[in-house]
Amino acid sequence: MLSAALREDKRSIICSIRSLSFHRSCRPLSAAPNPPSQGDGGIFWWNSAITAALDNGEVANAWHLFEQMPHRKNHVTWNCMLSGLVKNRRIADAQRVFDSMPRKNVVAWTLLLTGYAKCGLVKEARDVFDRIPEKNVVCWNAMVSGYIRSGSVGKARELFDAMPERNSNSWSIMVSGYLKNKLVNEAKVLFDRATTRETHIFNALLSGYVELGRLSDAVELFSQMPQRDVISWNTMITCYSRYGKMELAQNLFDDMPKKDTVSWTALMHGYVRNKNLDAAKRIFKAMPNRDVMTWNTMMGGLVQNGMLQDALKLFTDMPEKDIVSWNTILQGYVNQSDMAGAETWFEKMPKRSETSWNTLISGYRDDQALVLFCDMVKEGFRPDQGTFSVVISVCASLVALGWGKMLHLCVIRAGYQHDVLIMSSLISMYSSCGLVSDAALVFECISKRDTISWNAMIATYAYHGSVVEAFKLFDKMIQQGFDPDHSTFLTLLLACAHKGLVDDGCRYLMSMQKDWNLIPKSEHYSCMVDLLGRSGLINHAHEFTENIPVHLKTFAWETLLSSCRYHGNLEIGEVAARRVLDSLPSDGGMHTLVSNMYAARGKWESAESVRMSMKKMGLKKETGCSWIEVEGRMRSFVSNDKSDPLIEEICQELDNISLIIEGSS
């Protein structure tokens, strides 16, 4: 249950998010204790100290240094402060610094423009761009990048075409922009038009091909490059490793005329990605030089494969550690569901980042995630996409509508109202709370949808019985060029199961394989068994289950067992029971289900036999639990638990509700 203080934190959190502009918590600088106070050397020290503080996210320390400078600030000082605030997404503070500058050069204008663009405020960025008195190619490039970042590729191209002059970066930015938006043909046409053929323009197209999975195009372009730099080679190594072609990646690495640390790390990461830790360790040991990224990559591979103790040993051996190193180990504890160990490690960290908080929060699926979110904001850290997505998902699972609405407000004030991942989480949250219309409103506000957002809205209609709307939205999704995934079809099958639409369910299961080349997973098969079972077609469900691939049958047998119990089909139920108990011998819930099935048919000896078996193995069915949010507090209820101080009032209210229900039936 949430503490009473947490209920009061809603308003304070919203105020903190608005007033602090999401600044990070500050730690003392490790700068020289006796800074110079006069001469050019003195101002250089102060500028360096300000830059170091901002690079570390220590915004308050940077402000303190900036305001306490004994020198007259030069243009470097102002630009350092402006750049650091932009990097920390403190756009309001950046605007204030910009307005205070005695003289504004083109660098300052471009920094402010970039800051607005990075925060998704593209209209404000364009306003800054239009006011720049003397624009150079860097300003134009920054504005084109801003449009691309916001998804306005058309406007980016209009501005690109209007540029009085372009450099190689201009062409790279526009080519990359097309590729980021999956406009491959447009990218290729523009690439062919480029007036300059520098290597990094080739690299932009090459990288885009890799990101979009166009392996053959990437290989062809790489072979045609007149000149290749180390980035070109590294990109192709990454390309081959992503698609499991490690022999080709290794051959390419061996053929490289010049390797850097990134080359070694890319190959090592490829082996990690493809679960070949022995090869990854071999590359790691053979590296002539290792930087902190190399160590972190190897350590991350160990964590991903559940080898936390080996990762801890590597962490101890590291000559230099950064925040990523600490976060990697933290992720290892969370992956193993060792939240006590994660909390201890978190407390030991010499410095924390937003990623540190997000990692810890992601380990909880209960109200502890909300408690940590409050702590995060109170300590001045900026919730980001990951934070909001996780915490909103927790609200969905807890059906905590009050907290969900508060977080929705925070999202808007943080400028994430166009973030498709966060918006998809909000759709699911409103759906879980039964507010279909609110979910639909959020969906309509998403300007740039992806498959996840479509799935969230289809699921909302499906789970609330609006099957026709779910089917229509799926058709619209296809018409607009989005490819469905496994989650899409699982949602459609669930919708069919709830309404008993056997023919539609069979059609969708067939379509996912024939039309979209998606291999059904165990949950798809289980859902299909549920559909047949709910429709009373137990024999068909049994036959279907027998034909499911062996390694995917367990959940299907569980579902069939539940259907047999509901329809009283003891013959097939016993077959399903044997299969379930063989696969899940330590599942108390399944044993209870089997026992209840026998009892319902009057086979008391069989029921007692299962119960005795449970007792011998020390198995118990998990106690059911429910909860409700009341005035910002989560109240949980467990079967036979009378510890709540308001238990008498609760029972009286339940009696009243029961009488009302009985009277209306």
Side-chain angles (χ1 to χ4, degrees):
M1 187 181 298
L2 292 181
S3 64
L6 189 54
R7 182 176 65 234
E8 301 299 324
D9 282 340
K10 284 185 181 179
R11 186 180 299 275
S12 65
I13 287 172
I14 297 172
C15 294
S16 297
I17 288 173
R18 179 171 54 187
S19 62
L20 292 177
S21 299
F22 296 120
H23 70 270
R24 299 178 183 177
S25 64
C26 306
R27 299 184 184 277
L29 282 172
S30 56
N34 298 309
S37 59
Q38 296 180 357
D40 291 339
I43 198 168
F44 174 79
W45 184 94
W46 285 93
N47 290 346
S48 299
I50 290 170
T51 301
L54 290 166
D55 284 345
N56 289 322
E58 298 164 346
V59 178
N61 276 339
W63 272 118
H64 177 75
L65 290 166
F66 183 75
E67 293 169 352
Q68 297 299 317
M69 281 183 69
H71 307 76
R72 182 178 179 181
K73 301 174 180 68
N74 61 14
H75 69 279
V76 175
T77 313
W78 288 98
N79 286 342
C80 284
M81 194 67 194
L82 190 59
S83 175
L85 291 171
V86 166
K87 183 185 294 185
N88 286 278
R89 295 174 67 98
R90 297 286 296 273
I91 190 61
D93 290 335
Q95 181 68 64
R96 191 164 74 248
V97 167
F98 180 82
D99 292 339
S100 302
M101 293 178 71
R103 292 184 302 277
K104 303 173 180 67
N105 57 18
V106 69
V107 175
W109 283 98
T110 306
L111 285 170
L112 186 64
L113 182 162
T114 303
Y116 278 116
K118 285 185 175 179
C119 292
L121 303 170
V122 70
K123 291 182 180 179
E124 290 79 357
R126 182 57 193 258
D127 180 60
V128 172
F129 176 78
D130 290 338
R131 291 190 290 119
I132 299 176
E134 295 183 8
K135 302 179 180 69
N136 61 13
V137 69
V138 179
C139 306
W140 288 87
N141 288 345
M143 193 63 239
V144 171
S145 293
Y147 277 130
I148 290 171
R149 185 179 286 109
S150 68
S152 303
V153 187
K155 290 183 178 180
R157 181 57 190 268
E158 288 178 11
L159 197 66
F160 176 84
D161 290 338
M163 291 179 71
E165 62 172 324
R166 306 183 188 99
N167 60 13
S168 58
N169 284 336
S170 312
W171 293 96
S172 295
I173 289 167
M174 198 63 233
V175 168
S176 298
Y178 275 133
L179 291 166
K180 286 177 183 176
N181 288 274
K182 300 182 180 180
L183 301 171
V184 179
N185 292 333
E186 289 85 345
K188 186 65 171 66
V189 169
L190 187 66
F191 173 81
D192 292 337
R193 276 189 50 203
T195 56
T196 177
R197 286 294 177 132
E198 295 184 26
T199 302
H200 70 89
I201 300 179
F202 277 91
N203 288 342
L205 186 60
L206 184 67
S207 178
Y209 282 152
V210 173
E211 290 298 321
L212 293 175
R214 300 176 73 102
L215 178 59
S216 59
D217 289 333
V219 172
E220 182 181 358
L221 180 64
F222 183 76
S223 66
Q224 294 174 353
M225 290 179 68
Q227 288 184 320
R228 302 168 186 151
D229 60 14
V230 69
I231 296 174
S232 316
W233 290 88
N234 291 345
T235 302
M236 280 308 298
I237 290 173
T238 301
C239 177
Y240 283 132
S241 64
R242 278 190 181 182
Y243 299 101
K245 300 181 180 297
M246 288 310 301
E247 184 177 352
L248 292 174
Q250 181 71 62
N251 292 339
L252 200 67
F253 176 82
D254 294 338
D255 291 340
M256 285 183 71
K258 183 180 179 181
K259 303 176 180 68
D260 61 8
T261 304
V262 177
S263 313
W264 288 87
T265 304
L267 183 64
M268 183 182 70
H269 185 257
Y271 281 119
V272 167
R273 181 194 295 271
N274 289 279
K275 308 293 183 183
N276 190 343
L277 282 185
D278 290 336
K281 291 176 182 177
R282 172 176 56 80
I283 297 297
F284 180 75
K285 291 178 181 178
M287 289 181 68
N289 297 298
R290 302 177 190 138
D291 59 13
V292 67
M293 184 177 71
T294 307
W295 287 86
N296 289 341
T297 301
M298 189 67 243
M299 194 161 57
L302 295 171
V303 165
Q304 290 168 23
N305 286 274
M307 303 169 67
L308 178 57
Q309 293 306 313
D310 291 336
L312 282 166
K313 184 179 183 305
L314 204 64
F315 179 88
T316 303
D317 294 338
M318 288 181 70
E320 179 186 355
K321 304 172 180 68
D322 63 6
I323 186 67
V324 177
S325 315
W326 287 88
N327 287 341
T328 300
I329 297 298
L330 180 64
Q331 185 68 64
Y333 282 111
V334 171
N335 288 353
Q336 294 189 0
S337 300
D338 181 3
M339 296 312 298
E343 292 267 12
T344 301
W345 186 264
F346 185 78
E347 293 300 324
K348 285 169 54 179
M349 294 177 69
K351 183 179 178 182
R352 298 167 189 157
S353 65
E354 282 81 3
T355 302
S356 313
W357 285 94
N358 291 349
T359 302
L360 187 63
I361 290 172
S362 70
Y364 291 99
R365 304 307 301 172
D366 55 18
D367 51 27
Q368 181 61 22
L370 302 180
V371 173
L372 287 169
F373 174 79
C374 293
D375 293 342
M376 177 182 181
V377 174
K378 286 177 182 176
E379 291 195 21
F381 285 86
R382 179 187 182 278
D384 59 15
Q385 181 196 56
T387 321
F388 282 122
S389 297
V390 169
V391 179
I392 291 170
S393 296
V394 170
C395 289
S397 63
L398 295 176
V399 198
L401 179 60
W403 273 92
K405 287 184 173 181
M406 183 274 289
L407 288 166
H408 192 170
L409 180 59
C410 291
V411 164
I412 294 171
R413 288 184 169 166
Y416 283 114
Q417 65 269 33
H418 300 298
D419 185 282
V420 68
L421 181 61
I422 294 176
M423 291 297 105
S424 299
S425 299
L426 283 170
I427 291 171
S428 299
M429 186 275 295
Y430 282 120
S431 174
S432 296
C433 296
L435 302 179
V436 178
S437 59
D438 290 62
L441 185 61
V442 173
F443 179 75
E444 291 301 324
C445 291
I446 301 176
S447 57
K448 191 177 179 182
R449 297 168 185 155
D450 63 3
T451 300
I452 296 174
S453 55
W454 285 96
N455 287 350
M457 196 61 228
I458 292 171
T460 297
Y461 286 131
Y463 294 154
H464 290 277
S466 302
V467 177
V468 174
E469 286 81 358
F471 291 170
K472 286 181 179 178
L473 196 62
F474 172 74
D475 293 338
K476 187 177 179 181
M477 172 185 178
I478 303 303
Q479 291 168 6
Q480 294 192 12
F482 291 88
D483 292 344
D485 59 14
H486 285 90
S487 296
T488 317
F489 282 103
L490 179 61
T491 300
L492 293 170
L493 290 174
L494 286 169
C496 294
H498 290 158
K499 289 292 184 178
L501 304 175
V502 176
D503 291 340
D504 289 312
C506 293
R507 177 168 55 85
Y508 283 125
L509 186 68
M510 185 70 67
S511 174
M512 72 178 292
Q513 299 172 77
K514 291 183 64 177
D515 300 333
W516 302 101
N517 198 30
L518 294 171
I519 300 173
K521 298 182 179 180
S522 61
E523 48 265 40
H524 297 93
Y525 288 121
S526 178
C527 195
M528 197 64 204
V529 173
D530 184 42
L531 169 57
L532 295 169
R534 284 173 184 257
S535 303
L537 304 173
I538 300 298
N539 289 326
H540 287 81
H542 181 207
E543 182 180 352
F544 182 85
T545 303
E546 291 286 7
N547 291 319
I548 294 173
V550 175
H551 63 289
L552 300 176
K553 282 187 176 183
T554 301
F555 291 139
W557 284 117
E558 288 183 42
T559 305
L560 181 60
L561 176 60
S562 298
S563 296
C564 290
R565 181 187 175 230
Y566 179 80
H567 289 285
N569 191 319
L570 187 60
E571 181 183 355
I572 295 178
E574 286 186 315
V575 175
R578 285 195 297 271
R579 300 294 183 90
V580 169
L581 296 184
D582 286 344
S583 302
L584 302 169
S586 59
D587 190 323
M590 284 296 106
H591 280 76
T592 302
L593 181 61
V594 173
S595 176
N596 291 342
M597 181 186 69
Y598 283 130
R601 300 293 292 175
K603 301 193 69 170
W604 303 110
E605 291 184 5
S606 298
E608 181 61 23
S609 175
V610 175
R611 291 283 182 178
M612 290 300 295
S613 177
M614 287 180 65
K615 189 173 182 180
K616 288 180 181 178
M617 291 188 288
L619 302 180
K620 291 183 179 180
K621 183 179 181 292
E622 289 188 11
T623 305
C625 177
S626 60
W627 53 84
I628 187 172
E629 181 189 18
V630 180
E631 296 182 350
R633 298 181 66 187
M634 302 304 301
R635 292 192 175 275
S636 57
F637 302 92
V638 180
S639 179
N640 294 322
D641 178 17
K642 298 183 179 181
S643 62
D644 193 292
L646 299 176
I647 186 64
E648 292 185 7
E649 291 90 335
I650 292 171
C651 290
Q652 289 176 5
E653 189 62 30
L654 284 173
D655 290 339
N656 291 332
I657 293 173
S658 298
L659 289 173
I660 293 172
I661 294 173
E662 290 172 5
S664 61
S665 60

